[in-house]
Amino acid sequence: MTSDPEEQVRLQGYGEMTLRTAVTTLMLLAPRDRSATAIYRVRDDVRLAQSEIAELASNWGIEPTGDLRLPGRSSDRHWPDVVRGMVREAPLPALMVAFMVGVLVARR
């Protein structure tokens, strides 16, 4: 059994990290995403079993929360949230230009 928390592993969809970080990230995923994501050892490219991951998480005191979503699953987001995020990150001049273009289009 792999129990070295500093061992390098690859978390599917997230890249390389330490075993403890991978287990913590995996436990933050929603249950359906957690079952679809795998952890592979870098040294021998072997997939860790779900039972082994669950045992390591319980030994290290990591509780599953289901707060994160897999990268690339933006279909779960709603359009108002997407637009709100774009507006928050946009610089002020770009927002002013977009507003003026919207006014011009609305007048025609």
Side-chain angles (χ1 to χ4, degrees):
M1 182 169 132
T2 304
S3 59
D4 178 23
E6 298 304 317
E7 181 178 7
Q8 284 295 107
V9 296
R10 188 175 64 253
L11 181 60
Q12 181 181 352
Y14 289 89
E16 289 188 15
M17 58 190 71
T18 64
L19 180 59
R20 183 184 298 269
T21 305
V23 170
T24 302
T25 305
L26 188 66
M27 289 298 146
L28 290 173
L29 293 175
R32 68 166 188 240
D33 295 336
R34 191 178 312 137
S35 63
T37 306
I39 297 177
Y40 297 92
R41 287 190 195 115
V42 171
R43 64 182 157 129
D44 54 6
D45 205 35
V46 172
R47 181 179 177 162
L48 278 84
Q50 291 294 333
S51 59
E52 185 177 357
I53 295 168
E55 185 178 337
L56 288 171
S58 66
N59 288 345
W60 292 336
I62 302 169
E63 295 293 323
T65 59
D67 293 339
L68 289 180
R69 294 180 187 219
L70 278 176
R73 285 194 111 169
S74 61
S75 63
D76 294 340
R77 296 181 65 188
H78 300 287
W79 280 108
D81 295 333
V82 172
V83 172
R84 191 175 301 121
M86 291 170 61
V87 169
R88 280 192 192 131
E89 295 173 6
L92 185 59
L95 290 175
M96 290 171 41
V97 169
F99 175 75
M100 290 190 305
V101 168
V103 169
L104 289 174
V105 169
R107 285 188 167 192
R108 287 188 179 197

